[in-house]
Amino acid sequence: MALRINDIAPDFEADTTEGPIRFHDWIGDGYAVLFSHPKDFTPVCTTELGLMAGLAPDFAKRNAKIIGISVDPVESHHKWKTDIQVATGQSVGYPMIGDTDLTVAKLYDMLPASIEGTSEGRTPADNATVRTVFIIGPDKRIKLSLTYPMTTGRNFDEILRALDSIQLTAKHQVATPANWKQGEDVIVTAAVSDEDATQRFGSFERVLPYLRTTKQPG
């Protein structure tokens, strides 16, 4: 069954480049970004893993841990990390999950549960759908999932932007409009009355009967 927004993110135990983990315990009381790859030593993914290494402090500021997964053994991941540093100048310090038996890929509906066997002998094309980013909240529920084709490198600035929105809207009864960025006006949700909006936000602008905007809450 497909995973949807607000579903509980499947828990699992796995070996990683930073040692064994139980996923929900590893997440702890913050957010997590799980991003997946179809195979080690693939060109687009090499650039992505390096970029994420450089962005690690930005995610940490948002109380978000990052973790990669590739359908290959942990030993292969360690070798790949050398290539990533050569190509991008970044050292991967976050964990990378080994998924040789395809368990996590199947749990997260990135590969059909009916697939048998291990990662051995499988090509990137066989695993092409293992290209999803998941943002998972402190409640262990999926807040976002975004899947890219193998030929299109992911925009992790967008993942950061979406994480900012998710965290802001979880704290305040607001939503964020298209292309919203930190510091820009937000939308007052329908659950908030005009009177309550004034009390909460000080003022708001009625753009349409169903669309009210206000300054981003602090």
Side-chain angles (χ1 to χ4, degrees):
M1 190 176 194
L3 291 173
R4 298 181 175 87
I5 300 298
N6 285 329
D7 283 350
I8 294 289
D11 197 13
F12 58 85
E13 293 183 358
D15 289 329
T16 80
T17 52
E18 301 297 313
I21 64 164
R22 178 178 284 276
F23 189 49
H24 282 191
D25 291 344
W26 178 84
I27 294 173
D29 59 0
Y31 286 78
V33 178
L34 171 69
F35 63 111
S36 64
H37 305 276
K39 194 78 178 166
D40 289 1
F41 306 105
T42 49
V44 172
C45 295
T46 298
T47 67
E48 292 175 335
L49 287 156
L51 182 67
M52 279 297 268
L55 290 175
D58 296 295
F59 284 98
K61 289 175 187 175
R62 294 161 170 83
N63 193 28
K65 296 179 177 179
I66 57 178
I67 188 166
I69 174 174
S70 181
V71 182
D72 267 319
V74 167
E75 293 79 8
S76 176
H77 295 352
H78 280 297
K79 295 175 182 176
W80 192 16
K81 287 166 68 173
T82 300
D83 280 4
I84 293 164
Q85 185 160 19
V86 169
T88 68
Q90 298 290 345
S91 177
V92 174
Y94 53 82
M96 296 166 61
I97 297 166
D99 194 27
T100 55
D101 57 4
L102 314 180
T103 296
V104 180
K106 293 177 185 179
L107 274 176
Y108 279 77
D109 197 40
M110 295 182 287
L111 287 175
S114 59
I115 286 180
E116 298 180 351
T118 68
S119 62
E120 187 174 355
R122 292 181 64 84
T123 68
D126 294 329
N127 305 327
T129 52
V130 188
R131 286 281 295 156
T132 304
V133 179
F134 296 93
I135 295 180
I136 299 161
D139 57 1
K140 312 304 184 288
R141 293 185 181 274
I142 294 172
K143 307 301 181 183
L144 173 147
S145 65
L146 186 59
T147 304
Y148 283 74
M150 287 197 301
T151 51
T152 301
R154 287 174 265 208
N155 183 338
F156 287 102
D157 289 338
E158 165 59 12
I159 304 303
L160 281 168
R161 188 197 75 88
L163 179 59
D164 284 341
S165 172
I166 288 164
Q167 292 183 335
L168 177 69
T169 58
K171 187 175 182 180
H172 304 279
Q173 284 188 295
V174 297
T176 56
N179 287 351
W180 173 87
K181 296 182 181 67
Q182 276 282 16
E184 295 181 349
D185 288 357
V186 297
I187 295 169
V188 181
T189 64
V192 179
S193 67
D194 288 352
E195 182 181 0
D196 195 16
T198 301
Q199 291 177 346
R200 284 171 179 262
F201 311 120
S203 64
F204 64 87
E205 178 184 356
R206 187 181 301 280
V207 181
L208 292 167
Y210 55 85
L211 174 57
R212 297 166 295 168
T213 61
T214 189
K215 299 297 182 184
Q216 178 181 326

